[in-house]
Amino acid sequence: MEREGRRIYIFDTTLRDGEQSPGVSLNVQEKLEIARQLARLKVDVIEAGFPIASPGDFEAVKAIAQEIEGPVIAALARINEKDIDRAWEAVKYAARPRLHVFIATSDIHMKHKLRMTREEVLAAVQRGVSYAKQHCQDVEFSPEDASRSDPDFLCQVLEVAIAAGATVINIPDTVGYATPPEFGRLIALIRQRVKGIENVTLSVHCHNDLGLAVANSLAAIENGANQVECAVNGIGERAGNTALEEIVMALFTRYDYYRCKTGIVTEEIYRTSRLVSSLTGMPVQYNKAIVGKNAFAHESGIHQDGVLKERTTYEIMNPAMIGLVQSNIVLGKHSGRHALRTRLAELGFNLTEAELEKAFQRFKELADRKKEITDRDLEAIVEHEIRQIPEKYVLQHLHISTGTHVIPTATVGLKVGEQVWEEAACGEGPVDATFKAIDKITRLPLALKSYSLNAVTGGKDAVGEVTVQVEYEGRHFIGRGISTDVLEASARAYINAINKLVYDVGEENLHYLDEVNNANARPGVAK
Ligand SMILES: [Zn+2]
């Protein structure tokens, strides 16, 4: 159904602000994977990164600009020539590139952070936007901490940016301080006062420190904003950004009120949420709006009865709208390649022959141990087994001896090339022992920063999904593993993190320990 009404542009910053979430670090492959999904979701703009921040960010922006078709690809830069050059160097390959430049305009930021006067900031905006414009037709300008800036000065800055060629003006509530009526009034004021504002896109970027990011964004839309910056699952600095799925579904579900539309393919929302959660290692809270595990679950008998009689009694959205489809097909040990391929295609995974073969092997292993393979199990297989980076280490075998009055001992065999290396180690628990045995083989100086275990689906034979984060020379790597055996899942997750590390850092740059001291218990190790 084609809706009338004002078009709201969805600017996704999952790969920039979202990737700045504490503890999150994505490699180029993972960022590309998310960018491909964002293109399927049909976001209008992908902010791919902040190229000056690190070589990894630069490479990711460049790779996304080169490959992803459809959305505008934006790169972030502070408003100075060096940052802008670096951002342009990475994003120039895109069919529709955008440079996003920013400088703070609140007194508190100008005084303490920038140590610049208002006049100096105005001059920097004029210079910076003009400079960016020499490279790129599409220039977005953000006055950082806009919601705490003096409104008169803010309007002055925006006029300068527009006169210098900005095509998009983005108003950030950088610290998540604004309230909806206040933020709405600020947007109305800007529309009223700033010369030339009617000729540019007016955008907002809200943070969720008070849980108001979505509400503030909606208030801005009501007052004339037509671009919203947001991130999948609401991830981002501190409490995160406006959640993409929430703003999109609020506009969709309350079309009767807002009379606005987006270009988002809402049926891709659930899959995008799963993908981002899985790659960032950031779980989605159960009661999270739209994409939480409980978002469409009815517990009370009265509600269940109502929904069974007529769905709309207690459901304001159809779960199918976000791509949450329940299937009647039950896959198990006797299912063949064809059934697997069919179900995976229904779930949106289109695999090559080689990928399908690999998925099928893992499916068979799992089906031997688990009666019914659910959609979530299949998603986990594809997420963990198919999106692969070259594997230096492959788990060959794992034997663990543990109990209440014995010292946990693990024997691990890892295949490296054609050889199998085997080591045994004791630990404070079976997971600790397993990781130590792996360390003895790899001899890499690793610190385990976090370990989490989740059941992918219910039941006693549920598949366990382990996510670990390891630190190597100040850099963090996330690994994941699945199995019906949580110890095996732990080993797979740890090896996955190590393989990513080897791939990212490059084998020639690795530093090894002479030997791993088994008695030397590492802090923070899961027991
Ligand atoms: Zn932000």
Side-chain angles (χ1 to χ4, degrees):
M1 151 190 64
E2 190 50 45
R3 284 176 165 177
E4 300 294 311
R6 200 152 58 88
R7 175 77 151 79
I8 304 298
Y9 296 97
I10 299 297
F11 176 113
D12 180 276
T13 187
T14 307
L15 296 174
R16 202 279 299 165
D17 210 320
E19 212 246 352
Q20 280 170 237
S21 302
V24 170
S25 118
L26 298 166
N27 64 32
V28 175
Q29 253 60 31
E30 292 167 326
K31 285 187 182 173
L32 262 173
E33 182 77 26
I34 291 175
R36 287 186 200 115
Q37 180 58 28
L38 291 172
R40 283 191 282 268
L41 182 66
K42 286 207 158 60
V43 302
D44 297 291
V45 186
I46 294 176
E47 186 163 54
F50 190 6
I52 196 102
S54 74
D57 248 45
F58 179 89
E59 288 306 325
V61 174
K62 186 173 161 187
I64 289 168
Q66 284 171 331
E67 184 192 308
I68 305 299
E69 286 170 20
V72 169
I73 309 297
L76 186 69
R78 282 167 301 192
I79 210 156
N80 64 61
E81 297 189 358
K82 202 165 153 240
D83 270 41
I84 293 169
D85 285 341
R86 188 78 178 143
W88 178 244
E89 201 50 46
V91 83
K92 68 181 178 191
Y93 302 94
R96 296 159 68 205
R98 176 183 293 179
L99 283 172
H100 181 191
V101 296
F102 73 96
I103 189 167
T105 52
S106 66
D107 288 329
I108 190 165
H109 276 229
M110 289 188 291
K111 182 168 169 220
H112 298 290
K113 189 180 80 175
L114 299 177
R115 303 217 163 90
M116 286 168 82
T117 63
R118 289 186 172 193
E119 287 63 38
E120 286 167 335
V121 167
L122 279 171
V125 171
Q126 205 286 323
R127 239 188 357 255
V129 173
S130 308
Y131 186 73
K133 194 75 177 179
Q134 288 171 22
H135 294 308
C136 187
Q137 185 44 42
D138 194 3
V139 176
E140 174 164 336
F141 170 74
S142 289
E144 193 189 357
D145 206 16
S147 52
R148 293 194 301 171
S149 301
D150 168 22
D152 292 334
F153 177 61
L154 179 64
C155 288
Q156 222 184 324
V157 170
L158 299 183
E159 276 180 14
V160 168
I162 292 170
T167 44
V168 182
I169 292 292
N170 175 53
I171 307 300
D173 180 25
T174 305
V175 292
Y177 182 72
T179 66
E182 214 179 22
F183 198 61
R185 278 199 298 274
L186 177 64
I187 298 302
L189 178 87
I190 289 168
R191 282 193 68 207
Q192 221 171 47
R193 293 244 308 256
V194 175
K195 231 182 289 151
I197 196 78
E198 65 282 0
N199 304 321
V200 302
T201 300
L202 182 53
S203 170
V204 291
H205 175 107
C206 297
H207 274 273
N208 208 30
D209 298 68
L210 295 173
L212 294 172
V214 172
N216 283 336
S217 302
L218 287 171
I221 287 171
E222 274 197 274
N223 285 281
N226 50 5
Q227 175 181 286
V228 174
E229 301 200 357
C230 48
V232 176
N233 297 338
I235 63 172
E237 284 274 9
R238 307 180 312 280
N241 287 95
T242 301
L244 180 147
E245 61 280 4
E246 292 180 27
I247 194 87
V248 167
M249 290 313 287
L251 290 175
F252 183 86
T253 308
R254 295 310 310 276
Y255 171 72
D256 62 311
Y257 180 77
Y258 290 103
R259 295 279 156 187
C260 291
K261 59 183 182 182
T262 71
I264 294 296
V265 180
T266 60
E267 289 81 1
E268 293 291 335
I269 285 179
Y270 185 69
R271 196 171 303 133
T272 313
S273 164
R274 287 292 321 157
L275 179 74
V276 169
S277 170
S278 140
L279 290 181
T280 57
M282 278 181 84
V284 174
Q285 82 194 50
Y286 284 4
N287 61 330
K288 167 84 175 58
I290 318 294
V291 292
K293 187 174 170 225
N294 295 350
F296 292 96
H298 303 277
E299 182 68 23
S300 123
I302 297 171
H303 288 208
Q304 286 176 350
D305 182 56
V307 168
L308 288 174
K309 284 176 178 147
E310 167 54 41
R311 197 186 54 75
T312 55
T313 50
Y314 287 97
E315 271 185 12
I316 60 165
M317 288 172 277
N318 184 343
M321 278 309 302
I322 64 155
L324 196 57
V325 273
Q326 248 62 47
S327 165
N328 298 321
I329 306 176
V330 176
L331 291 182
K333 169 177 181 160
H334 301 294
S335 307
R337 278 181 186 74
H338 183 69
L340 179 68
R341 183 204 295 274
T342 306
R343 190 62 202 138
L344 285 175
E346 283 169 6
L347 290 172
F349 297 112
N350 293 306
L351 307 185
T352 65
E353 282 304 317
E355 287 169 341
L356 181 75
E357 194 48 44
K358 211 166 170 189
F360 187 66
Q361 291 313 321
R362 281 293 282 149
F363 166 76
K364 278 294 187 195
E365 284 173 38
L366 200 60
D368 275 339
R369 292 190 265 176
K370 188 174 189 289
K371 223 169 93 216
E372 287 183 3
I373 306 293
T374 64
D375 289 348
R376 252 318 271 133
D377 292 333
L378 293 181
E379 280 175 31
I381 288 178
V382 174
E383 282 165 10
H384 296 294
E385 310 299 328
I386 304 306
R387 277 203 309 267
Q388 285 293 6
I389 40 128
E391 291 178 310
K392 179 173 179 192
Y393 302 101
V394 179
L395 181 65
Q396 190 74 12
H397 56 263
L398 171 67
H399 175 86
I400 291 166
S401 155
T402 189
T404 43
H405 295 291
V406 295
I407 296 171
T409 310
T411 307
V412 177
L414 295 187
K415 203 166 167 211
V416 186
E418 289 310 304
Q419 268 184 309
V420 175
W421 293 77
E422 191 175 66
E423 282 288 351
C426 303
E428 290 183 50
V431 173
D432 185 35
T434 304
F435 291 180
K436 278 182 179 154
I438 294 170
D439 285 349
K440 282 170 103 175
I441 298 172
T442 67
R443 291 188 296 113
L444 290 166
L446 302 180
L448 185 64
K449 303 308 282 184
S450 73
Y451 172 96
S452 72
L453 167 65
N454 281 298
V456 171
T457 42
K460 267 193 263 177
D461 60 357
V463 169
E465 176 177 45
V466 171
T467 306
V468 299
Q469 194 187 96
V470 300
E471 188 183 307
Y472 168 82
E473 298 188 337
R475 293 178 61 185
H476 289 190
F477 299 89
I478 292 169
R480 285 169 293 269
I482 57 161
S483 171
T484 50
D485 174 344
V486 298
L487 294 173
E488 183 191 324
S490 304
R492 286 184 183 278
Y494 197 61
I495 294 164
N496 181 234
I498 293 169
N499 282 328
K500 281 188 182 171
L501 181 170
V502 172
Y503 178 66
D504 258 33
V505 176
E507 203 143 342
E508 63 284 5
N509 304 320
L510 288 173
H511 299 121
Y512 297 96
L513 296 169
D514 292 336
E515 66 179 306
V516 176
N517 184 356
N518 191 25
N520 185 13
R522 282 165 295 136
V525 165
K527 309 239 164 72

